[in-house]
Amino acid sequence: MGERKGSGMIEMGEAFFERVYAQVRRVPAGSVCTYGTIAELAGYPKASREVGLAMSRVQSGWNLPCHRIVNAKGTLAPTYAFGGQRVQRQLLEDEGVAFVDDETIDMVRHRWPPCDEPGGPEQLALPLG
């Protein structure tokens, strides 16, 4: 597949998608990560919208925990993603993720990587190259 222009910020070729999916695989059960953090960890800061596009391309047989990727507010995905909000919520609850209301995850308890982790996301990032 050739390179595709995202929201004007990056070229979205296979390398981009592979790096994003590699980071998604790292999010442990019982945790959630934001689109922006996945973008940063993959080496594409400020490409959160492109991460959302990458999530929309995932096929069910790929075995990626896409339900663990949420927006910065910790709210569930739109109704068309993951089989709907009810399905996403059930998948997260089955992993022990707590909610503060019907649609919002307790980000203080479940955000990955934790904000207080030594070095923060930049030390967990994959090197470019």
Side-chain angles (χ1 to χ4, degrees):
M1 177 175 156
E3 300 287 314
R4 292 190 350 198
K5 199 72 156 168
S7 63
M9 299 180 72
I10 65 165
E11 294 290 328
M12 295 185 306
E14 287 307 309
F16 168 77
F17 290 102
E18 289 172 17
R19 293 179 64 81
V20 166
Y21 299 149
Q23 292 302 327
V24 171
R25 284 185 190 92
R26 295 176 63 203
V27 181
S31 299
V32 294
C33 189
T34 67
Y35 295 103
T37 300
I38 291 291
E40 183 180 346
L41 292 172
Y44 299 94
K46 301 184 186 207
S48 57
R49 286 181 182 227
E50 289 80 0
V51 169
L53 175 64
M55 296 293 93
S56 72
R57 289 185 56 193
V58 172
Q59 304 293 312
S60 62
W62 292 4
N63 200 26
L64 286 173
C66 298
H67 62 283
R68 298 178 190 151
I69 312 306
V70 298
N71 67 29
K73 294 177 184 176
T75 56
L76 296 173
T79 57
Y80 58 82
F82 312 111
Q85 291 180 336
R86 188 181 58 199
V87 171
Q88 184 183 17
R89 181 181 176 116
Q90 188 63 56
L91 289 168
L92 291 169
E93 285 179 332
D94 289 349
E95 295 179 352
V97 173
F99 286 73
V100 295
D101 62 35
D102 286 342
E103 296 180 358
T104 310
I105 295 155
D106 185 342
M107 294 297 281
V108 173
R109 289 178 54 194
H110 300 288
R111 184 182 184 120
W112 182 89
C115 293
D116 60 353
E117 188 167 295
E122 53 281 346
Q123 285 193 352
L124 294 172
L126 294 174
L128 288 174

